[in-house]
Amino acid sequence: MSPLITRRRAAAAVLTTALLIPLAACGDSGSDQAKGKDKDSGSKAASSASGAPKADLTVLAAASLTDVFKEAGAAYEKENPGTRVTFSFAGSQELAAQVKQGAPADALVTADTRTMDGLTGETGTPAVIAKNRLVIAVGEGNPEKVENLEDLSDAKLKVVLAAPEVPVGRYSKQILDAQKIAVKPVSQEPNVRAVLSKVELGEADAGIVYKTDAATATDKVDAIDIPDAENAVASYPAATLKGSKHSEAAAAFVAWLSTPAAQKILQGAGFQQP
C-alpha cells in the first residue's frame, strides 16, 4: 500500500472520530433532558391536582372546631386527592402542652391568640381564620328560666364553666368580671365540649360556651344570647408547626383555611369572618 493511501485513510479516521464526538455528546444531553422530564413528572405526580404536596397531615385543633373541621377536612381531601388530614381535638392549653412536648403534628389551630403567641418558637406565622362569640347554654326548654348573665349568680343554679386556663374559661371570666357578676361553678371543665356535655346530660343547669358549640346540640340545649356589649370575641389563629415533616403540605392546608371554600364551611357552622 502506498504511503499516500495510508495517509488518506488515517485522515479519514480522524475526521470520523471528530464527527462522532459531538453526536455522542448530543446523545448524552438528550438522555439527561429525558431524565429531567421524568424527574419533573414524578415530582408533579407527588402533588395534588391543586398543586398542594400530598401528605398525611396531623392537625391539632381546639375542641370547639370538632364538627366543622371534620367537614372542612373532608372537603380539603376531596380537593387534594392523595392527601389525608387527621385531627386531634382538645382544649387549646392541652394542645400547647403537646406541642411543647414535641408531639408529632403538622399544624395547630387554637381558640385564642394568647395560647398561640406563647408558642412563637414552635410555629410559623399564625393567621386568624375565624372568630366566635359566647352564649349561655341551658337545658332544652330552659327549665330554670335563665335570661342573662346576672341569672348565673343565683346560688340555686348549677352552673358549669371551663377552667380559667382554657380560652373559653378565660373569656367567660372576662365577661363576668366586666359585669361584676360573681358565679360559683359546680365544676370547671378542661374544654368547651365538656361544659356543653354537662348541660346536655342535665348535670348542670347552665354553662357558658361558644355559639357554634351550642348550635351542634340544638335538640338537647337552648342558647341564650349574650349582648355584644357584654360579650367577648374569640379569635382562632392557625399556624404550621416547625417540627412538621411535611412543611409544604402543612402550609398549603393552613393557607386553604382562609380561602372562600373553607370560609363558607366555617361561616355555615356559625363562625364569624376573621
Side-chain angles (χ1 to χ4, degrees), residues 121-137:
E122 309 288 345
T123 73
T125 303
V128 174
I129 59 152
K131 292 186 176 182
N132 213 341
R133 284 186 176 273
L134 306 180
V135 297
I136 302 170

Side-chain angles (χ1 to χ4, degrees), residues 26-117:
C26 289
D28 289 342
S29 176
S31 176
D32 288 343
Q33 288 177 0
K35 290 177 182 177
K37 289 180 180 179
D38 289 343
K39 184 177 181 180
D40 290 343
S41 298
S43 177
K44 290 178 181 177
S47 297
S48 65
S50 67
K54 293 181 181 180
D56 287 346
L57 297 175
T58 297
V59 179
L60 306 179
S64 50
L65 294 166
T66 299
D67 295 88
V68 69
F69 261 21
K70 287 178 181 178
E71 181 181 352
Y76 188 75
E77 289 177 352
K78 185 175 181 180
E79 275 189 36
N80 299 273
T83 290
R84 184 176 65 177
V85 184
T86 300
F87 297 101
S88 177
F89 299 105
S92 296
Q93 80 291 347
E94 293 181 44
L95 300 177
Q98 291 176 29
V99 171
K100 290 177 180 179
Q101 292 166 7
D106 304 290
L108 171 69
V109 188
T110 60
D112 67 333
T113 55
R114 181 187 295 189
T115 300
M116 184 67 79
D117 289 345

